[in-house]
Amino acid sequence: MTSLPERGATPSSREGDAARASSSTSSAPEEQKKDGGSTSVLSSVFTIFESGQGSSSTTAACANRSPKHASVSYAWSRVLRRIVGDGSMWRFLGCGRVLTTGDVWFLGKCYKLSSEDSSSDSESESGHAAFSEDFSSRIWITYRKGFDAISDSTLTTDVGWGCMVRSSQMLVAQALISHHLGRSWRKPSQNPCNPEYIRILRLFGDSKVSAFSIHNLLQAGKSYGLAAGSWVGPYAMCRTWQTLIRTNREQPGVINGNGSFPMALYVVSGDEDGERGGAPVVCIDVAAQLCYDFNKDQSVWSPILLLVPLVLGLDKVNPRYIPLLKETFTFPQSLGILGGKPGASTYIAGVQDDRALYLDPHEVQLAVNIASDNLEADTSSYHCSTVRDMALDLIDPSLAIGFYCRDKDDFNDFCSRASELAVNANGAPLFTVVQSVQPSKQRYDQHDGSGCSGEGVDDSMMGVEDLDGSGETGEDEWQIL
């Protein structure tokens, strides 16, 4: 099952507000305790504006202050609290929110942040330092300004509307890092850079010559509503990647038809029997055929990227799915989640307790041009050390999960884990795994000969009205897929 294709919606002030909200964290007393020493750094600042509030010894002095002075002090106090709450001050101080001692699952790796529990599990790594190194090594792709105008528009920036595109670029970039450099790769502190790493960054540059640039993604996604200045949902974004990768492989001069994308792509659909309420179905036979088509060989299994678009509720995620979403981060094949708060997409790469840990694209940076052979390039704008978090129950119910399987054994391991997760889902799995499906139940042809799943769009679906620009019709908790 997949959701209806989203149609583009012109962004309003709602996204600007949501984007700022996406980087906010709780300011409740218990959250302030978790911040430890970092909070005390700012305590004196608030005291400047709030000293005397609630203190009987200063009541008279406060009363003698002019109303204008009191109003200004109160306004400054509110501004400072907002800056600290939304993470801006933490970035200014060069640190992120302090994590709790709970285990962190980050793209298939477990980090024990409690020293008491860090010695027994050989599958986990201990310490904040190891997690911080891993987090800051992930490729961070954000809003950019100053690039060449997109398509036939005059826009030279994607500020305010490009967060879904940027989030999807981060997920795909992680798939390429895992494939070329391995999950254990960490960015070195000094140049020269790894040539493969530079080539990956080059793919996501902000110009038409970069295969996976925002320019080329918007061009490939026109039929799904992608346009400069408009916002789309995860389903349309997944189908856009499918179209772009297939188009790249069909271009003349592409070696072995694989181009710059070295793996098959499977956008997972649902049980196509016309009924509502079914979960997406990973079909093993379909995945195998995609891999064989990619390699042009019926006996060789290729690496494969799976994208699973989901709609897990109406206004918010149904609570029954939250434990299942958390469990997907324990899969070694995990690439995280394309999603975030409504109208403000992020790249969710980990979980701790009931919090989602993410990389935020809502940071405006100048466009850069990294040459593919420049191993001394400054790549600092592609990495972030600030860990952002949000409550899992606040994420947008429209999202997409990514998985990368290096070979057949890795895919079999993924299927085993996914099947076990479905069994433990109490009748409401995120997705299921089957060996094969009847051809009559498939609404689209997965096998187009390019190692990339088919279009997946029924023409009759394109006329369904999108009432709120989110890609959802609001008729039911699940969409017809």
Side-chain angles (χ1 to χ4, degrees), residues 392-409:
L392 279 166
D393 58 4
L394 294 181
I395 66 176
D396 194 308
S398 181
L399 52 88
I401 311 177
F403 302 96
Y404 166 74
C405 301
R406 180 173 295 276
D407 51 34
K408 191 174 188 302
D409 289 340

Side-chain angles (χ1 to χ4, degrees), residues 174-462:
Q174 178 54 37
L176 293 173
I177 288 288
S178 295
H179 176 78
H180 290 294
L181 301 174
R183 178 62 185 87
S184 60
W185 177 83
R186 301 291 181 267
K187 183 183 182 298
S189 58
Q190 296 180 337
N191 287 340
C193 298
N194 184 297
E196 200 63 60
Y197 160 72
I198 292 295
R199 281 193 287 270
I200 291 172
L201 290 185
R202 175 68 174 170
L203 292 173
F204 298 92
D206 294 308
S207 67
K208 289 183 178 180
V209 299
S210 296
F212 305 141
S213 66
I214 190 170
H215 300 67
N216 291 328
L217 282 165
L218 291 176
Q219 181 66 31
K222 282 186 175 180
S223 61
Y224 298 103
L226 267 72
S230 297
W231 195 90
V232 295
Y235 174 81
M237 203 67 246
C238 291
R239 293 299 183 189
T240 295
W241 276 102
Q242 171 185 289
T243 300
L244 178 59
I245 290 169
R246 184 178 59 250
T247 300
N248 284 350
R249 287 179 184 154
E250 293 171 351
Q251 290 179 350
V254 174
I255 300 175
N256 295 327
N258 295 338
S260 54
F261 201 71
M263 63 193 77
L265 174 61
Y266 184 6
V267 179
V268 179
S269 72
D271 183 358
E272 310 291 356
D273 59 3
E275 296 182 1
R276 302 171 67 87
V281 179
V282 176
C283 177
I284 296 174
D285 287 349
V286 168
Q289 189 61 51
L290 290 171
C291 291
Y292 299 150
D293 289 345
F294 177 85
N295 283 327
K296 308 299 182 183
D297 188 332
Q298 294 298 312
S299 61
V300 178
W301 188 284
S302 75
I304 185 170
L305 167 63
L306 296 96
L307 298 177
V308 189
L310 297 167
V311 180
L312 302 180
L314 290 176
D315 297 327
K316 62 180 182 180
V317 174
N318 189 315
R320 71 171 69 177
Y321 297 116
I322 291 178
L324 306 180
L325 288 174
K326 291 174 60 177
E327 189 68 19
T328 62
F329 287 96
T330 70
F331 289 23
Q333 302 82 12
S334 171
L335 292 176
I337 294 175
L338 174 60
K341 290 187 177 181
S345 177
T346 64
Y347 175 40
I348 302 174
V351 291
Q352 183 188 44
D353 302 326
D354 291 322
R355 311 288 295 181
L357 310 179
Y358 64 92
L359 288 159
D360 189 1
H362 300 92
E363 185 90 14
V364 184
Q365 303 187 88
L366 288 173
V368 296
N369 182 26
I370 297 179
S372 58
D373 59 349
N374 183 7
L375 303 186
E376 300 293 333
D378 178 7
T379 63
S380 58
S381 67
Y382 284 99
H383 296 275
C384 174
S385 60
T386 302
V387 181
R388 308 291 190 89
D389 71 294
M390 74 176 84
L392 279 166
D393 58 4
L394 294 181
I395 66 176
D396 194 308
S398 181
L399 52 88
I401 311 177
F403 302 96
Y404 166 74
C405 301
R406 180 173 295 276
D407 51 34
K408 191 174 188 302
D409 289 340
D410 202 23
F411 179 76
N412 289 341
D413 180 74
F414 161 77
C415 290
S416 176
R417 293 172 184 270
S419 296
E420 183 178 355
L421 184 63
V423 169
N424 297 330
N426 295 320
L430 294 174
F431 56 91
T432 60
V433 179
V434 299
Q435 181 65 44
S436 61
V437 294
Q438 297 178 10
S440 61
K441 288 189 176 184
Q442 296 185 27
R443 293 279 284 276
Y444 60 87
D445 180 15
Q446 287 281 357
H447 312 144
D448 64 353
S450 67
C452 187
S453 55
E455 283 294 326
V457 177
D458 188 325
D459 291 339
S460 64
M461 291 182 178
M462 299 302 290

